[in-house]
Amino acid sequence: MAVYKDGDKWRVIYRYTNYKGERKQTQKRGFATKREAVAWEHEVMLKSDSKLDMTFASFFEIYEEDKKKRVKENTWESKSHVIRTKILPYFGERKIAEIEPKDVIAWQNELLAYKGENGEVYSPTYLKTIHSQLSAIFNHAVRYYHLPSNPAQRAGTMGSEEHKKMLFWTKEEYLKFADVMMDKPVSYYAFEMLYWTGIRCGELLALTPKDFNFERQEMTINKSYQRLNGRDVITTPKTKKSNRTIKMPKFLCEEMQEYIGMLYEIGEDERLFQITKSYLHHEMDRGAKAAGVKRIRIHDLRHSAISLLIEMGFSALAIAERVGHESIDITYRYAHLFPTKQTEMADKLDVERMEGDEAWTRP
């Protein structure tokens, strides 16, 4: 490395060997003082050698390089926002190897004491999320860069995970809602798909004509739509289990054929629903009010679809395959909706016991 005067500024030229053994060179210009240039040079050398004498902010750059391409773009956006707004302002200039549990506790206390202009505080779920991101960075340093221990883990977590209450529409409530949605075809057909198939909103918004086989009454789910930083982004579905083929009822096939026929010369790979999640939120507000039914969230339509299938008597395994869940998740999250087997079990144990007594007393 070398630091040079560059007009009225300073410049650093950095030469290094990459992981392939190739010699490379890079530079950074525009430093106001030599001290700033030398400080940057020092940090780059520490990062290059993976020495934990570097700042937390410098290690985050390593963490970002290691992790960013391994997760979905929208997942990284969420993680990065939390780290840049809630963690780096506090720990960024500290040397990562010198951060102690007491420092983490002091940071936690600041977040716990936060109050916005209107007195709002961070929710327990959000506090837990923030702490998890800090702990993940330290875990990465422990696992791969020889940090002795994770101070965030030793300090203990903050907040707690809150499970939002599931809301449902009965079939009768949904039909009232669907009736008032008929004035806007794109809204009506979108909600029909969400309710009768239980697909996720992102899966709905990614659908193209190519995803349907009406002869076989099938729909393929193999992608999801996200709106990120003003861009339309198509990603893989939420989980591996989410890649699936769904059998559609005949009436829904007919509705979707009707809807596709309304779209002027749509291409096989063009999105059928050129709308956003925000648009669907507004339409939920409008429809729920007009139909006189309780307002539920978009994702609650998925819960409603699952509850309907449970009511119809289908097993957790069959429902899980249809909606792209693990069957254990269906059993756990919707256990209260499944018909109870406890009374049946007790009655059958009574019968077993009585049969045993009869056999014992027979001559």
Side-chain angles (χ1 to χ4, degrees), residues 46-82:
L46 291 173
K47 283 166 60 180
S48 176
D49 296 334
S50 298
K51 300 292 185 184
L52 291 180
D53 192 39
M54 73 182 80
T55 64
F56 185 93
S58 291
F59 185 78
F60 171 64
E61 292 178 12
I62 291 176
Y63 178 76
E64 182 175 40
E65 184 70 23
D66 289 348
K67 284 287 188 180
K68 187 173 182 179
K69 293 177 181 176
R70 296 172 182 266
V71 298
K72 291 182 182 177
E73 186 178 353
N74 59 311
T75 302
W76 180 257
E77 285 290 327
S78 299
K79 289 169 66 74
S80 178
H81 176 76
V82 168

Side-chain angles (χ1 to χ4, degrees), residues 208-357:
T208 67
K210 192 176 181 180
D211 296 322
F212 293 88
N213 184 326
F214 292 116
E215 286 184 9
R216 296 170 62 92
Q217 291 183 218
E218 290 180 348
M219 170 179 63
T220 300
I221 300 296
N222 55 20
K223 53 191 173 297
S224 185
Y225 167 87
Q226 302 283 340
R227 184 76 177 169
L228 292 176
N229 301 320
R231 296 180 296 114
D232 292 336
V233 178
I234 301 296
T235 68
T236 55
K238 187 175 182 180
T239 65
K240 287 183 179 179
K241 191 83 173 178
S242 300
N243 284 284
R244 62 201 188 279
T245 297
I246 298 174
K247 279 284 185 181
M248 298 171 65
K250 185 178 178 182
F251 80 86
L252 193 57
C253 285
E254 291 172 353
E255 287 187 342
M256 285 308 296
Q257 284 177 295
E258 182 181 4
Y259 174 62
I260 292 172
M262 295 178 183
L263 304 175
Y264 180 70
E265 293 185 353
I266 186 168
E268 280 290 287
D269 293 309
E270 288 185 59
R271 287 173 52 228
L272 288 170
F273 296 98
Q274 299 280 332
I275 53 178
T276 63
K277 193 172 181 179
S278 176
Y279 170 85
L280 290 173
H281 277 299
H282 289 303
E283 287 295 272
M284 285 283 277
D285 288 336
R286 180 177 74 88
K289 184 176 180 181
V293 297
K294 64 181 176 287
R295 170 64 159 91
I296 63 175
R297 298 166 300 172
I298 300 293
H299 194 69
D300 288 326
L301 286 170
R302 182 169 165 85
H303 300 320
S304 301
I306 293 171
S307 70
L308 177 63
L309 294 173
I310 292 171
E311 188 180 327
M312 292 170 68
F314 292 103
S315 69
L317 179 59
I319 295 170
E321 288 178 354
R322 184 171 183 81
V323 301
H325 258 315
E326 295 292 342
S327 58
I328 192 169
D329 293 333
I330 295 290
T331 304
Y332 174 73
R333 297 189 68 190
Y334 300 90
H336 60 293
L337 297 178
F338 282 96
T340 179
K341 295 290 183 182
Q342 294 299 320
T343 302
E344 184 183 345
M345 287 178 190
D347 290 344
K348 286 191 174 181
L349 287 170
D350 268 335
V351 171
E352 290 295 319
R353 182 71 173 89
M354 288 192 313
E355 288 178 351
D357 285 344

